[in-house]
């Protein structure tokens, strides 16, 4: 497999332009290919089997900020029907990593692995998961970059991709979090 150039990225509109960020140009908008739920934006590089998923979810007040990274990672493992999973690291993020996010937002980054069934095969998948909590709009934004563990060069690029997404992420209209998007 050819390793894609990580530096080739462009600004993309999410949810009709209410949110923008930089995504690798090699990744296609999955909604151009198939139906994607209204609360999600999905980009994929089919050749590299790498995806970026943005998802608006309801803010769960029963989950404290310090536990939300683990909670969201395990919830994703459950949604993926993962055979097994391991959380490798959890880091709190600050304004330096996501400069356009409100300082009132709690943000963290989780890295782990999930053994996910794709068709008849089990795929060992590296999952980078950013959780951005916006309790004042009763929503959270979950961003995941999923990469095959078998491609270590792509795992390194996943960190660069996530850093670019977070550093460029701008919410231009908070109305995206209203009206049934979660």
């Amino acid at each position: 497999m050819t390793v894609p150039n990580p530096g080739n990225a462009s600004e993309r509109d999410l949810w009709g332009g209410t949110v923008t960020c930089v995504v690798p140009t090699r990744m296609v908008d999955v909604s151009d290919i198939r139906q994607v739920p209204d609360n999600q934006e999905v980009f994929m590089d089919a050749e590299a089997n790498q995806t970026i998923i943005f998802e608006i979810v309801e803010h769960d007040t029963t989950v404290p900020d310090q536990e939300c990274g683990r909670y969201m990672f395990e919830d994703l493992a459950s949604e993926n029907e993962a055979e097994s999973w391991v959380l490798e690291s959890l880091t709190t993020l600050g304004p330096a990593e996501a400069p356009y996010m409100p300082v009132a937002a709690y943000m963290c980054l989780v890295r782990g692995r999930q053994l996910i069934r794709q068709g008849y095969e089990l795929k060992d998948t590296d999952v980078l998961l950013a959780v951005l909590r916006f309790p004042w709009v009763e929503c959270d934004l979950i961003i995941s970059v999923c990469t095959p563990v078998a491609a270590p060069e792509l795992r390194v690029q996943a960190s660069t991709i996530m850093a670019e997404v977070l550093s460029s992420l701008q919410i231009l209209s908070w109305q995206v979090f209203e009206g049934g998007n979660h």
Side-chain angles (χ1 to χ4, degrees):
M1 168 179 27
T2 315
V3 180
N5 178 354
N8 199 0
S10 62
E11 185 171 275
R12 306 284 186 100
D13 288 340
L14 310 178
W15 293 289
T18 58
V19 177
T20 64
C21 72
V22 170
V23 172
T25 52
R26 66 183 167 81
M27 296 196 148
V28 298
D29 184 338
V30 172
S31 67
D32 292 342
I33 301 165
R34 65 172 168 80
Q35 186 79 22
V36 172
D38 289 345
N39 69 321
Q40 292 183 353
E41 292 283 342
V42 181
F43 296 89
M44 178 178 146
D45 178 337
E47 186 178 322
N49 197 22
Q50 189 174 49
T51 60
I52 303 174
I53 301 172
F54 299 84
E55 184 174 11
I56 297 171
V57 298
E58 189 173 350
H59 179 75
D60 188 341
T61 57
T62 65
V63 179
D65 287 346
Q66 298 75 14
E67 295 175 23
C68 73
R70 175 178 299 280
Y71 177 84
M72 294 296 188
F73 182 81
E74 290 176 356
D75 187 56
L76 180 63
S78 176
E79 281 184 35
N80 287 339
E81 298 178 1
E83 299 272 325
S84 63
W85 63 88
V86 60
L87 190 148
E88 296 171 347
S89 66
L90 193 152
T91 310
T92 302
L93 300 174
E97 291 89 4
Y100 301 108
M101 290 300 100
V103 292
Y106 175 82
M107 302 177 293
C108 67
L109 183 65
V110 179
R111 174 167 240 144
R113 292 169 65 169
Q114 297 181 6
L115 195 57
I116 301 169
R117 183 165 301 284
Q118 290 182 349
Y120 295 110
E121 294 182 57
L122 282 175
K123 300 282 186 176
D124 195 2
T125 305
D126 179 68
V127 178
L128 255 180
L129 184 75
V131 180
L132 291 74
R133 301 192 92 189
F134 310 129
W136 61 92
V137 290
E138 300 176 358
C139 290
D140 297 337
L141 178 59
I142 312 301
I143 305 165
S144 58
V145 178
C146 299
T147 306
V149 168
E153 64 284 350
L154 285 176
R155 288 185 75 200
V156 172
Q157 281 189 14
S159 295
T160 302
I161 291 168
M162 182 62 84
E164 287 179 345
V165 165
L166 290 171
S167 68
S168 65
L169 185 70
Q170 295 186 59
I171 297 171
L172 304 177
S173 172
W174 287 93
Q175 289 180 329
V176 69
F177 297 103
E178 300 171 1
N181 278 323
H182 47 50

